[in-house]
Amino acid sequence: MSFSDLPQPLAEALVARGYEAPTAVQAAVLEPQAQGRDLIVSAQTGSGKTVAFGLAMAGELLDGAALPRPGAPLALVIAPTRELALQVSRELVWLYDKAGGRIATCVGGMDPSKERRALSHGAHIVVGTPGRLRDHLERGALDLSALRVAVLDEADEMLDMGFREDLEQILDASPQERRTLLFSATMPKPIVALAKRYQRDALRISTVGEERGHGDIAYQALAVAPPDIEHAVINLLRLHEADTAMLFCATRENVRHLHATLIERGFGAVALSGEHSQNERNAALQALRDRRARVCVATDVAARGIDLPSLSLVIHVELPRDAETLQHRSGRTGRAGKKGTAVLVVPFQRRRRVEMMLRGARISAEWIDPPTPEQIRAQDRERLLDTLLQPVDVDEEDQAIAARLLAQRSPEEIAAALVRAHRAALPEPEELVGSSGPQERTREPRGGFDGSAWFRIDVGRRHNADPRWILPLLCRRGHITKAEVGAIRIQPNETHFEVAGGVAQRFASAWHRSADKGDPESNIALEPLQGGPVREAPRKTYKPRPHGKPNASGRRPGRAR
Ligand code: AMP
């Protein structure tokens, strides 16, 4: 169905907005078989789902092309958070503007008396959050007796947030013959149960796969050692320099830590998790909208319902629990025709699991190496040239300063100072501890290791052991630097390695101390290697850097963090 088949005022509103064709979910709800039916829809944020339910309810609202006089609401939209409710209301306002639609909002944290007044003046559509809607219902301000359609937006989120009872009370108070449209990113059992209880003969619509099929989101994955994850994230941010980037973590503690790390490095970053108040949330979102911040670190739940059109990069800093969450998180970018990139940061040991998850979801991801400081600097150069060669408007004051500068310095000096000033605003790329190159499978003995000690740990080739994983692990758990690790020999079931003599004892005791401290690698057992190393021919070798030489970034390698 095209937009031109819609009632005149809605078609006009869409044209005025510049929307030419329906998105997949909009097309699906406008199919003849969906007309007048209850719908259970899985669609991601960014799929155009708000306009989709706005259009789907047109049949219940409009009498031909006109709306009746506003009175008791005909349509009710319930959304989990204040931002989402306000965003939904903004979309419905322009969509129904030409039809003369009156929309009232009932949202926690806003002035309830103003809302009561608006309700008493009559509305066609009410949009609200569950708790506030229930309050108005109980006080008699919200009359649901004329309701023809109820929409539950992000229903899974509302149940997760504990709004089941509020939802049930609201639905129970509305006429049985109403239409119920249930939108949910995921369809866990409690959602299915809710649908069973409150819907009749619902048509199931899923456009999650199709949205992905549009190819607006390029998936990438990179395998790193757990201690290198934050460095890899920093380098990804620096390589892309996205207008807005969203980073997903599994817990609020991890959000807090990554956010602090990014601030420390000079990124404009905000955090969203369950520990933030509504005011903090609003401030964070405002900072992203007006570009004071460009990076948002969030948990899955806290990021729900956020619509940031400039978001072009999603990083799964911690892996999503399943393919559905992966798609839901990634769907924050690549919205409404724009291109986006979603990158999974995968700890080495979990690569196979991630490959299976991607295969299961039929997502083809490109496996990439973590961006190196050299790649980032090359990108910076291109971007700087691009920025500085853009035409600029200069006023008289600028010109006067320019003339004074030119009188005292050469054009080259001035240009270099300008480049330097721009570059100074960019956080430094990181050197990954395990970034010795993919060709490195075995490190061989090197100079400066006389009197070294050999150890073994109980992970080997069968456990995906790889020097790019093992080396950072040894540094982190043993509190030593990359330069203090000598040869690494990976055997089928174990790995042997050499530690500089002077630090061997400290290494072993730090390793044992760091066991069982919640580190996922804390159950790897370490023992001194009795009888020295095995004399097995290395599978492949690499040429190590001279002992302790500063690396390309000018730092000593393996600076402990
Ligand atoms: P939503 O999934 O409702 O959060 O919508 C994501 C964004 O896509 C919103 O900014 C919508 O206004 C926009 N949008 C909705 N429908 C269309 C369409 N048919 N064409 C282009 N953009 C759209």
Side-chain angles (χ1 to χ4, degrees):
M1 176 167 183
S2 82
F3 283 155
S4 55
D5 301 327
L6 289 167
Q8 186 71 12
L10 300 189
E12 278 175 19
L14 288 159
V15 170
R17 189 92 181 167
Y19 297 172
E20 285 159 11
T23 64
V25 66
Q26 290 160 9
V29 303
L30 293 173
E31 287 286 323
Q33 54 167 353
Q35 300 297 311
R37 293 230 345 234
D38 283 358
L39 305 175
I40 175 161
V41 186
S42 33
Q44 297 169 317
T45 304
S47 58
K49 67 187 168 71
T50 315
V51 170
F53 59 69
L55 296 176
M57 62 173 67
E60 280 69 40
L61 296 178
L62 293 166
D63 189 5
L67 282 165
R69 275 169 59 89
L74 305 174
L76 175 71
V77 182
I78 318 174
T81 61
R82 170 171 142 146
E83 289 105 39
L84 186 61
L86 295 176
Q87 192 181 305
V88 166
S89 149
R90 281 196 295 270
E91 294 264 296
L92 297 179
V93 164
W94 68 254
L95 187 60
Y96 278 91
D97 182 42
K98 292 186 195 313
R102 193 181 286 173
I103 323 281
T105 52
C106 300
V107 179
M110 308 288 258
D111 179 357
S113 60
K114 269 199 195 143
E115 295 177 352
R116 275 197 294 275
R117 232 171 298 134
L119 289 172
S120 72
H121 292 151
H124 297 108
I125 307 173
V126 171
V127 184
T129 49
R132 178 55 67 87
L133 287 170
R134 186 183 185 176
D135 283 349
H136 285 309
L137 187 65
E138 284 174 348
R139 287 159 198 254
L142 177 63
D143 172 6
L144 294 179
S145 62
L147 202 74
R148 295 185 192 159
V149 53
V151 180
L152 274 59
D153 193 13
E154 306 228 347
D156 50 351
E157 168 74 348
M158 293 199 279
L159 293 191
D160 274 357
M161 289 168 76
F163 287 134
R164 169 195 299 284
E165 252 190 62
D166 305 61
L167 293 178
E168 290 185 348
Q169 184 170 349
I170 295 164
L171 291 172
D172 285 336
S174 66
Q176 289 232 330
E177 57 287 358
R178 59 143 212 279
R179 255 182 109 188
T180 309
L181 313 181
L182 193 151
F183 283 71
S184 188
T186 59
M187 291 289 164
K189 273 196 195 128
I191 292 289
V192 177
L194 188 79
K196 223 180 198 159
R197 178 153 171 211
Y198 288 100
Q199 292 192 301
R200 282 157 301 151
D201 182 30
L203 177 68
R204 195 161 184 150
I205 293 176
S206 173
T207 57
V208 173
E210 292 172 44
E211 290 299 327
R212 180 178 9 107
H214 286 171
D216 317 11
I217 304 175
Y219 283 86
Q220 296 180 335
L222 52 92
V224 291
D228 266 339
I229 287 177
E230 286 189 349
H231 288 163
V233 170
I234 287 169
N235 285 6
L236 282 167
L237 287 173
R238 285 290 283 100
L239 185 75
H240 286 266
E241 286 294 331
D243 276 349
T244 310
M246 181 85 96
L247 316 188
F248 284 98
C249 293
T251 63
R252 55 175 77 176
E253 287 73 32
N254 296 347
V255 166
R256 200 185 311 138
H257 188 265
L258 181 58
H259 177 239
T261 304
L262 293 176
I263 295 288
E264 183 206 358
R265 307 294 149 115
F267 288 89
V270 294
L272 287 180
S273 77
E275 73 182 17
H276 297 110
S277 68
Q278 188 65 47
N279 279 346
E280 289 169 322
R281 242 180 109 77
N282 291 347
L285 290 172
Q286 199 48 47
L288 291 168
R289 291 211 176 90
D290 53 28
R291 307 285 167 90
R292 276 174 290 127
R294 287 167 55 193
V295 182
C296 177
V297 191
T299 56
D300 289 312
V301 168
R304 286 286 182 89
I306 290 173
D307 179 27
L308 297 164
S310 57
L311 200 147
S312 60
L313 176 67
V314 166
I315 305 180
H316 303 267
V317 180
E318 286 179 281
L319 293 173
R321 57 173 183 270
D322 51 30
E324 233 177 338
T325 313
L326 167 72
Q327 287 174 7
H328 189 67
R329 285 175 171 188
S330 306
R332 298 289 133 173
T333 183
R335 295 162 72 99
K338 290 200 189 136
K339 295 227 180 310
T341 307
V343 190
L344 288 115
V345 180
V346 185
F348 275 115
Q349 322 84 291
R350 299 181 67 188
R351 177 166 178 156
R352 279 193 204 141
R353 232 201 82 194
V354 168
E355 281 171 336
M356 257 166 53
M357 179 164 79
L358 291 168
R359 247 197 319 277
R362 279 183 272 136
I363 293 173
S364 66
E366 180 194 358
W367 285 84
I368 58 167
D369 285 327
T372 61
E374 293 70 32
Q375 281 173 321
I376 293 165
R377 291 196 182 99
Q379 280 278 26
D380 282 348
R381 277 194 292 277
E382 293 309 310
R383 274 192 291 253
L384 265 173
L385 286 171
D386 202 42
T387 311
L388 294 174
L389 289 173
Q390 291 292 325
V392 280
D393 278 337
V394 284
D395 58 23
E396 277 174 23
E397 194 181 340
D398 296 339
Q399 249 157 359
I401 299 176
R404 284 181 61 185
L405 283 171
L406 276 167
Q408 296 181 43
R409 294 275 183 275
S410 72
E412 285 75 18
E413 284 172 319
I414 298 169
L418 185 63
V419 169
R420 198 188 164 81
H422 272 260
R423 210 197 273 285
L426 300 170
E428 272 295 299
E430 292 290 336
E431 186 79 28
L432 271 62
V433 182
S435 65
S436 318
Q439 78 281 16
E440 183 186 2
R441 288 285 168 270
T442 298
R443 282 163 64 99
E444 273 309 287
R446 339 182 252 171
F449 270 80
D450 295 341
S452 66
W454 280 84
F455 292 92
R456 60 177 286 274
I457 47 173
D458 60 350
V459 286
R461 255 194 299 280
R462 297 219 171 102
H463 315 93
N464 286 343
D466 180 309
R468 288 176 300 169
W469 163 33
I470 298 295
L471 186 57
L473 169 75
L474 302 182
C475 296
R476 171 154 297 195
R477 279 207 53 193
H479 301 182
I480 54 173
T481 66
K482 190 171 164 177
E484 288 162 334
V485 180
I488 297 177
R489 292 182 186 169
I490 296 174
Q491 314 292 321
N493 281 312
E494 57 185 36
T495 296
H496 303 163
F497 57 91
E498 187 186 23
V499 171
V503 296
Q505 212 168 6
R506 169 157 68 82
F507 168 77
S509 66
W511 184 283
H512 295 304
R513 271 202 318 274
S514 65
D516 295 327
K517 279 201 178 149
D519 180 336
E521 291 158 337
S522 64
N523 54 355
I524 297 177
L526 172 88
E527 281 177 3
L529 185 62
Q530 306 297 348
V534 245
R535 308 248 164 256
E536 190 192 59
R539 298 209 307 162
K540 276 186 198 165
T541 57
Y542 95 119
K543 201 163 159 284
R545 266 202 293 272
H547 185 63
K549 184 174 165 248
N551 57 31
S553 69
R555 285 194 191 144
R556 295 267 150 201
R559 197 173 61 135
R561 289 199 53 233

